[in-house]
Amino acid sequence: MSAPATIKVPISVYRFEPGKDAAPHYQEFTLDLAPHTPILSALLQIRSEQDPSLSLRYSCRSAICGSCAMQVNSKSRLACETPVGPEVERHGRIVIEPMRNQPVLRDLVVDQAPFWRQYDGIEPHLKLDPRHPMPDGAPNPMTPEEVDRFKETPRCIACAACYSACPAVEADPAFPGPMALAKLYRFVVDPRDQAHQDRLVRIQPGGLWLCLRCHLCTEACPKDVRPSERIRDLKEMAIQVQGATEAGSRHAVAFKENIGETGLLNEMKLARQTYGLAALAKELPQGARILRKKPELRKRPHPIQGMDEVEQIYAALDRKEDA
Amino acid sequence: MHRHEVVVVGAGLAGQRAALAAVEAGREVAIVSKLHPLRSHSGAAQGGINAAVGKEDSVDTHIYDTVKGSDYLGDQDAIEHFCREAGPTVIEMEHFGTIFSRAPDGSLARRAFGGAGFPRTIYAADRTGLALLQGLWEHLGTARFTLYQEWDVTQLVVRDGRVQGIVAFDRKTGDFTGIAAKSVVLATGPAGRIYGRTTNAHSCTGDGIAVAYEAGAQLKDMEFVQFHPTALLESSILITEGARGEGGILKNAAGERFMSKYAPHVLELASRDVVSRAIVTEVLGGHGFDGPYGQYVHLELMHLGKEKVESRLQEICDYSRRFAGIDPVTQPIPVYPAQHYMMGGISTDIRGATNVAGLFAAGEAACVSIHGANRLGGNSLLETLVFGKEAGMAAAAFAAKTGTSEVTPADVDAAAAPSRAWSNRSDGEDPSALRTEMQRTMERYVGIYRTEADLLEGLQRIRAVRQRFANVRVVDRSHVYNLNLTDALETGHMLELAETIVVGAYARTESRGAHSRVDFPKRDDARWMKHTIATRGPDGPALSYAPVAYTRWEPKERVY
């Protein structure tokens, strides 16, 4: 039994106890570790050998309990499944910070109450209709294809890495966040649930269209749940159910229509279609200022060269949708 | 001071199911858990949940397999009830919203598991625990109850011959608080972290078992500790039995499929104690692979094909790739047995009742006993739900006919006193070092193969660590998420329980199921077909014995 080869791992850990410390500070450690050592193991080694006062959440150490999400070199990651080697290779050191969009309670422990409230807010339980009772003494039939419709959402471990990474949450705490919306998707596609339409109608003013489509949630998700793609699916389903009734959905529909017409955005028309004339009227002074600065907006765009290609793309997308 | 009718400690599957049952029975309920319920270790269960729902299968076969798997130490009346409830329990979980894997005809998909006569393990890919935990938690969200989240139980208050409530420690504030209850259900899971190599989460420290034991509850069959045959080398992360159920095979360094020597009929799908001993025997015989993280054997999935491995064993692929740098589609997985499950626990009857009035227990913290000397894969998830519900109903019935309970300021002071002393010391023992010493001792002296000499040595060492623990010191003075303090609380709990494991193992001079004495290699039904009962005494655990309940199945030699 030979000892594994190790590397020097410089780790800088965020330390802060609100109410006690005037400001956060970073504590520096250097450990000798095998490159595949998970960051959680490194932090636990720091706790047991150097500073037992370092506080963090952790439990399963196998990426299934969702406790140990934190910022690793500014990315939301599960500490238990992120090895030290590649981080040191890429950044020269490892900076460990608490998740974002949730207030720090101490060190790497954040207050997850807002995150859990958003999860509860989408009513994450089957809603039944008395006219469709559960089968008596038998499971509901469900085909493997119906199970596939959940995509990867059942893998979600509620670690909040997506919530931490989401700029829409940062901008507007009313935004349910990627996890809650992915969870909503899970219920909307559930053949047992009898409230699909109601869920889709209610989530529209409830924040569905606040998603910026930046895909940072999908990038952060350790379980490949791809929340941004599920949010996109929800948007499509919401328009199908309700038509374009929200500024967000009207914007999406107008965007598609604009591009389909000329290959370019007609921003005057887009604004009108998104917000409606009445709402725009209130913004007249602002509109006048923009037009003074960008007079080209007055001109209606001409179809671009290669408009036939745009048409072909649209036709291909329509065919894909039908299939 | 808080007050509730029924307090459930632990919010994994057993605790949640108990809480649901108590709410449905009309009682006012609180759940106390040191983790958010969705972070409970139930979520780490991978392979599946047994229910004999297939046409070719039968409840009787499930009962027989469980009795045989238990090496005839399981109580047959409890096992019969357990297996009969299996089908309705799984159906209920499906109705609650659990997303199970499905067969092409739309029915619940089933896979083969060790020690089972038919493929009867219903699953959700290889994350069945997570699927059930989500399904139950989301369903429980429609019920009314109070949640004390990230509160650790530190004491069970028993007075006037019955439970009065608990004292718990709030991680967010550092406060010790009394929670009065007419009845208490302990569902705090196992104490796997007593061992160094364990598949269990860091949170599995047996808090509920320890506070029950300290308050006079009897523990049953603590010496029966299951080692899972296939834990990932180094991290000991679980590689589900489902991997073998799907066709995975074990090979030694000579390339031999060695299980043919130990279980010629069912090979890798023998019961867990058999497969774990086979692996250790191979390694001790010089047939293991060797590497920086010790010796091991190979679990091969390559022949199953990429599609099957990646769809049915998705998490296993992730674990192997992320935690061992191995791609199971093209490479063998290095595995070695690790502590996985405690058959023993707080002694209960079939309704979850303990010897302390008003105290109930369920799940891995409890011992009914349905697993006897060895648990079958797929039976533990089922146990949490079947007996969680029983304990919740029984606790509700007890609360309904019981007057007010009282947790006094003196109770709270008494519970908080030790940790105040730990924090006020200027010199003393580091809880984390004591924990490591305990883990090494249990690993070395109270592992898969046991001898009298080793067990004696182990007992002395554990007692020495307990003595050092009397002088434990907490250096972190913060009141907020003080893990140094929770480390000490948990280590104290585990040391209590470690002693009961060693004492029980030393006394039991036979080999049965997971308890394997090299010096007593045969099962001895005449002397030892009985449950070990440990009661806390002034000089450590006092042992007594209780009969095994029989119904229809005569003990036979166990051959797979």
Side-chain angles (χ1 to χ4, degrees):
Chain A
M1 186 166 149
S2 54
T6 62
I7 55 168
K8 284 251 178 289
V9 180
I11 305 185
S12 181
V13 185
Y14 176 100
R15 304 295 308 265
F16 183 43
E17 186 174 340
K20 204 177 224 180
D21 302 334
H25 67 281
Y26 289 81
Q27 195 176 358
E28 310 296 332
F29 302 92
T30 304
L31 303 175
D32 287 311
L33 298 169
H36 69 275
T37 307
I39 284 170
L40 177 62
S41 304
L43 295 174
L44 295 184
Q45 191 175 327
I46 288 172
R47 278 189 37 73
S48 64
E49 292 174 4
Q50 301 194 43
D51 190 344
S53 74
L54 171 63
S55 202
L56 68 154
R57 284 198 184 96
Y58 64 97
S59 181
C60 76
R61 59 78 172 83
S62 58
I64 201 74
C65 78
S67 299
C68 69
M70 54 186 70
Q71 294 226 101
V72 176
N73 287 327
S74 302
K75 302 269 189 195
S76 294
R77 294 282 180 262
L78 291 180
C80 70
E81 63 156 19
T82 307
V84 295
E87 293 297 322
V88 173
E89 220 165 87
R90 209 170 303 137
H91 303 276
R93 62 179 193 146
I94 301 177
V95 180
I96 300 292
E97 293 166 309
M99 279 195 284
R100 301 174 70 237
N101 294 336
Q102 297 154 92
V104 172
L105 296 172
R106 185 180 177 195
D107 300 342
L108 306 171
V109 180
V110 296
D111 181 3
Q112 300 208 280
F115 169 74
W116 294 123
R117 263 198 303 278
Q118 294 293 359
Y119 165 52
D120 290 342
I122 64 111
E123 301 183 273
H125 50 82
L126 290 183
K127 292 193 183 185
L128 302 179
D129 179 334
R131 286 167 299 179
H132 300 92
M134 290 287 186
D136 196 17
N140 292 281
M142 198 188 291
T143 62
E145 292 70 33
E146 284 175 309
V147 174
D148 287 344
R149 292 192 64 203
F150 292 106
K151 305 283 182 186
E152 302 295 312
T153 54
R155 293 187 76 193
C156 175
I157 55 172
C159 66
C162 59
Y163 193 80
S164 168
C166 178
V169 169
E170 189 179 359
D172 187 348
F175 180 55
M179 180 271 189
L181 290 173
K183 183 61 85 174
L184 180 74
Y185 171 89
R186 170 251 172 278
F187 282 95
V188 166
V189 299
D190 194 317
R192 298 167 294 190
D193 193 76
Q194 302 294 329
H196 302 172
Q197 298 211 352
D198 181 52
R199 289 179 190 276
L200 287 167
V201 168
R202 285 172 52 188
I203 197 60
Q204 293 210 63
L208 179 63
W209 295 96
L210 292 173
C211 167
L212 306 169
R213 289 170 295 159
C214 67
H215 301 289
L216 286 173
C217 53
T218 292
E219 194 268 339
C221 177
K223 305 307 276 188
D224 205 26
V225 170
R226 300 178 171 268
S228 56
E229 294 179 15
R230 303 294 78 81
I231 294 171
R232 177 205 61 204
D233 295 341
L234 285 171
K235 287 174 174 172
E236 284 178 8
M237 290 188 280
I239 292 176
Q240 275 170 19
V241 163
Q242 207 181 7
T245 54
E246 297 290 312
S249 51
R250 284 197 302 265
H251 182 79
V253 170
F255 201 101
K256 182 184 170 194
E257 195 183 297
N258 271 220
I259 300 288
E261 280 168 9
T262 62
L264 288 172
L265 285 183
N266 179 345
E267 301 211 31
M268 297 288 279
K269 191 176 171 192
L270 188 67
R272 199 169 63 235
Q273 286 171 310
T274 302
Y275 298 105
L277 276 176
L280 276 187
K282 279 187 258 170
E283 305 292 338
L284 267 177
Q286 166 82 350
R289 270 199 301 279
I290 293 174
L291 281 179
R292 263 200 306 279
K293 277 191 179 168
K294 297 179 116 184
E296 67 273 19
L297 286 180
R298 288 170 199 271
K299 283 193 235 158
R300 184 184 294 244
H302 291 290
I304 57 167
Q305 263 194 339
M307 194 53 213
D308 49 336
E309 279 179 52
V310 173
E311 280 161 12
Q312 279 170 23
I313 291 170
Y314 269 52
L317 285 173
D318 285 343
R319 276 198 302 277
K320 196 178 165 204
E321 228 163 70
D322 293 341
Chain B
M1 199 74 62
H2 300 279
R3 182 178 297 283
H4 300 280
E5 286 194 298
V6 177
V7 165
V8 178
V9 188
L13 286 172
Q16 287 186 31
R17 191 62 191 83
L20 179 62
V23 171
E24 284 177 340
R27 301 275 66 82
E28 186 274 321
V29 176
I31 299 179
V32 177
S33 173
K34 68 177 180 180
L35 302 171
H36 184 280
L38 284 178
R39 314 225 181 281
S40 304
H41 189 53
S42 300
Q46 296 171 358
I49 178 165
N50 291 338
V53 294
K55 283 193 183 65
E56 75 285 24
D57 203 353
S58 73
V59 170
D60 265 8
T61 324
H62 187 190
I63 298 169
Y64 170 71
D65 287 341
T66 304
V67 169
K68 178 183 172 189
S70 81
D71 219 349
Y72 299 92
L73 193 67
D75 289 318
Q76 295 182 7
D77 54 350
I79 293 172
E80 292 201 16
H81 173 70
F82 170 70
C83 296
R84 284 198 190 100
E85 287 298 311
T89 299
V90 169
I91 290 166
E92 180 180 74
M93 289 306 295
E94 196 279 332
H95 289 184
F96 285 174
T98 305
I99 303 166
F100 288 108
S101 295
R102 299 294 180 136
D105 67 355
S107 64
L108 301 173
R110 287 171 286 125
R111 62 165 48 125
F113 246 50
F118 293 98
R120 75 164 67 95
T121 306
I122 292 158
Y123 60 94
D126 52 352
R127 50 174 177 274
T128 314
L130 183 68
L132 292 167
L133 192 66
Q134 287 177 353
L136 185 53
W137 177 242
E138 290 169 357
H139 179 77
L140 189 59
T142 61
R144 184 189 287 271
F145 63 95
T146 306
L147 175 64
Y148 296 91
Q149 190 185 317
E150 300 189 313
W151 286 47
D152 293 62
V153 64
T154 62
Q155 195 148 352
L156 188 70
V157 180
V158 178
R159 201 170 24 246
D160 302 333
R162 68 176 174 90
V163 157
Q164 304 285 335
I166 64 167
V167 179
F169 168 79
D170 180 356
R171 292 190 178 190
K172 287 177 281 304
T173 63
D175 292 334
F176 284 81
T177 305
I179 306 178
K182 296 176 178 181
S183 59
V184 171
V185 180
L186 293 174
T188 51
R193 285 279 156 178
I194 286 177
Y195 285 83
R197 271 190 215 239
T198 175
T199 63
N200 283 191
H202 287 279
S203 54
C204 297
T205 55
D207 308 324
I209 312 176
V211 297
Y213 178 60
E214 286 163 2
Q218 295 176 339
L219 306 188
K220 192 192 288 165
D221 294 338
M222 289 296 284
E223 65 269 33
F224 293 98
V225 177
Q226 180 168 80
F227 290 79
H228 195 286
T230 59
L232 206 53
L233 196 68
E234 192 194 359
S235 60
S236 293
I237 288 168
L238 175 65
I239 301 294
T240 175
E241 190 161 306
R244 282 170 285 138
E246 297 291 351
I249 59 174
L250 292 165
K251 283 192 180 166
N252 64 18
E256 289 167 331
R257 194 174 171 187
F258 56 86
M259 279 313 297
S260 59
K261 286 185 274 178
Y262 305 89
H265 304 297
V266 295
L267 300 157
E268 285 82 4
L269 286 180
S271 104
R272 288 178 177 172
D273 55 334
V274 175
V275 183
S276 285
R277 276 195 295 273
I279 294 174
V280 173
T281 307
E282 287 297 305
V283 164
L284 291 176
H287 306 302
F289 296 90
D290 201 0
Y293 301 101
Q295 299 201 321
Y296 57 93
V297 298
H298 276 164
L299 172 63
E300 293 189 358
L301 306 177
M302 298 96 78
H303 57 287
L304 302 179
K306 186 178 166 75
E307 203 279 321
K308 189 170 183 181
V309 173
E310 288 189 340
S311 63
R312 303 221 190 143
L313 301 167
Q314 195 175 19
E315 304 293 332
I316 295 310
C317 284
D318 268 14
Y319 296 151
S320 306
R321 288 168 186 162
R322 292 213 168 115
F323 298 107
I326 293 291
D327 185 353
V329 172
T330 55
Q331 293 167 287
I333 308 173
V335 294
Y336 193 79
Q339 192 284 344
H340 180 61
Y341 189 87
M342 294 174 57
M343 271 69 76
I346 303 164
S347 180
T348 75
D349 66 12
I350 208 165
R351 307 289 165 222
T354 69
N355 62 310
V356 177
L359 179 65
F360 301 82
E364 197 171 341
C367 178
V368 179
S369 158
I370 47 162
H371 308 306
N374 173 67
R375 174 176 71 78
L376 291 189
N379 271 354
S380 65
L381 285 176
L382 182 59
E383 179 191 19
T384 62
L385 297 167
V386 169
F387 292 104
K389 180 179 174 185
E390 292 291 348
M393 290 193 303
F398 188 94
K401 62 177 176 58
T402 301
T404 314
S405 297
E406 212 59 60
V407 177
T408 65
D411 292 328
V412 176
D413 275 349
S419 58
R420 283 204 196 103
W422 302 340
S423 296
N424 287 333
R425 275 192 188 119
S426 55
D427 191 28
E429 299 278 356
D430 169 22
S432 146
L434 295 178
R435 185 183 291 211
T436 306
E437 178 66 24
M438 167 190 68
Q439 291 172 337
R440 287 195 183 135
T441 302
M442 294 300 283
E443 195 71 41
R444 164 67 185 82
Y445 298 101
V446 199
I448 291 180
Y449 281 119
R450 301 165 173 182
T451 67
E452 180 180 305
D454 276 355
L455 292 167
L456 259 184
E457 179 68 28
L459 182 58
Q460 278 166 8
R461 285 170 183 257
I462 288 296
R463 287 190 167 151
V465 180
R466 284 199 65 187
Q467 275 183 351
R468 287 168 59 195
F469 184 79
N471 191 36
V472 75
R473 181 186 177 213
V474 170
V475 297
D476 185 359
R477 294 301 180 85
S478 172
H479 295 294
V480 184
Y481 287 91
N482 184 335
L483 299 195
N484 194 203
L485 178 53
T486 43
D487 263 355
L489 289 168
E490 291 172 345
T491 302
H493 290 156
M494 288 192 286
L495 280 167
E496 285 275 1
L497 302 180
E499 195 181 5
T500 66
I501 295 173
V502 195
V503 168
Y506 177 75
R508 187 174 283 272
T509 49
E510 66 157 350
S511 290
R512 182 186 297 272
H515 173 65
S516 198
R517 286 283 298 257
V518 176
D519 39 0
F520 297 93
K522 289 261 181 280
R523 193 175 81 198
D524 183 352
D525 288 339
R527 289 183 59 214
W528 286 108
M529 186 170 289
K530 55 191 181 186
H531 297 295
T532 305
I533 302 291
T535 313
R536 193 171 190 266
D539 308 313
L543 299 188
S544 57
Y545 292 90
V548 174
Y550 273 109
T551 54
R552 291 181 276 167
W553 283 271
E554 283 299 314
K556 283 191 287 197
E557 198 190 346
R558 224 163 125 243
V559 182
Y560 284 102

